[in-house]
DNA sequence: TCTTATTCAGACTCATTTGTCTGATTCTAA
DNA sequence: TTAGAATCAGACAAATGAGTCTGAATAAGA
């Protein structure tokens, strides 16, 4: 069970954050990323394919190829990745699953959730990867420690 | 795709809210509830079975039996239903899916999500079914309109 | 007591999501 | 130009969760 996003989306977010923490333009194979994030190689490959389609990530085939961030970190926000993989549906549905939930026919938590939902959206859209860089680098480094311990 | 909770949980929340909007102690068959909420009869039955196990809902077998709210609405909160069906796992996991996410090794949105997560928990736990009653009754009535139109 | 309506419980099927494999493609370097 | 190394892309398989079915149990009412 995931919190909000699908596994695919979680991995997409992690992979892009990983790339944004590296030297700009450097390429990483699906294997590299798979080791860093401790997830199956092919799954990385598949998710990054999706992001390649939306222009966030680039890929180069052939020897010494790999995946890389294809946009400037100033131009990418977490919400872009969510949009590319899961879409924005979750920001438009009733948290209790009621049909026809709206301002005029609100569910018992409509207003409260509306506020939280908007803040979640804001959390994902107000900072760019560039602005998140320091935090990202710290987290990525801590992952290395995790895998070297185990 | 659901927002946060599983379909089972969404239906459980809706069914309990439905029961809490009715005359106390009145029994409803899975069919009744299924028609009201426009979901499959057997699915209602299955989800309410789960809630029967945790004592929130009661059931009576045999003719003129059915499901009913087995606790006073003052004693039930939405979080109780979430707990019984999905558990509290989502309140303890990293929203980006990072392994080992914690205060000492936070992900880039750790603090922001922590706040939103706590407020979500609060949304589900600060009001009882009794306190939500007016809002619930309104919503349940609007559902009737929906089905009668279609 | 007997019939009928109804739930319960668990086995089952179906759909979706997650994860894996393979062949074709592409690039590098000799 | 050719061989080798690596990715891409899409087909495939497995796992999970959603939803359905059936038979046994149970209670009400005739």
């Amino acid at each position: 069970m995931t919190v909000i996003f699908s596994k695919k989306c979680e991995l997409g977010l992690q992979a892009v954050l990983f790339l944004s923490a590296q030297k700009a333009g450097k390429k990483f194979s699906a294997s590299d990323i798979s080791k860093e994030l401790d997830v199956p190689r092919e799954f990385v490959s598949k998710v990054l394919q999706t992001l390649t389609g939306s222009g966030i990530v680039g890929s180069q085939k052939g020897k010494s190829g790999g995946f890389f961030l294809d946009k400037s970190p100033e131009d990418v926000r977490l919400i872009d990745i969510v949009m590319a993989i899961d879409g924005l549906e979750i920001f438009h549905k009733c948290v209790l699953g009621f049909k026809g939930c709206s301002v005029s026919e609100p569910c018992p938590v409509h207003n409260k959730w509306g506020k939280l939902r908007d803040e979640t959206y804001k959390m994902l859209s107000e900072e760019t990867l560039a602005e998140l860089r320091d935090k990202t680098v710290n987290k990525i480094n801590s992952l290395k420690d995790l895998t070297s311990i185990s």
Side-chain angles (χ1 to χ4, degrees), chain A residues 2-56:
Chain A
T2 56
V3 179
I4 301 185
F5 310 120
S6 68
K7 284 253 183 222
K8 255 189 196 166
C9 191
E10 285 186 356
L11 174 52
L13 287 161
Q14 290 179 38
V16 170
L17 283 168
F18 168 77
L19 289 174
S20 80
Q22 311 304 320
K23 209 162 90 242
K26 196 172 171 192
K27 293 191 288 286
F28 293 84
S29 73
S31 307
D32 294 339
I33 300 172
S34 128
K35 276 171 208 150
E36 286 287 341
L37 303 175
D38 195 19
V39 290
R41 197 191 85 82
E42 292 85 358
F43 197 30
V44 170
S45 169
K46 181 156 200 173
V47 171
L48 289 189
Q49 260 175 52
T50 308
L51 292 176
T52 302
S54 29
I56 295 167

Side-chain angles (χ1 to χ4, degrees), chain A residues 122-148:
Chain A
K122 201 171 144 195
M123 171 181 90
L124 298 167
S125 56
E126 68 185 352
E127 287 177 290
T128 65
L129 293 185
E131 287 161 332
L132 291 173
R133 189 162 207 283
D134 289 348
K135 288 178 182 171
T136 303
V137 169
N138 280 337
K139 184 65 196 172
I140 296 296
N141 287 337
S142 82
L143 289 177
K144 276 184 191 144
D145 300 343
L146 272 183
T147 41
S148 66

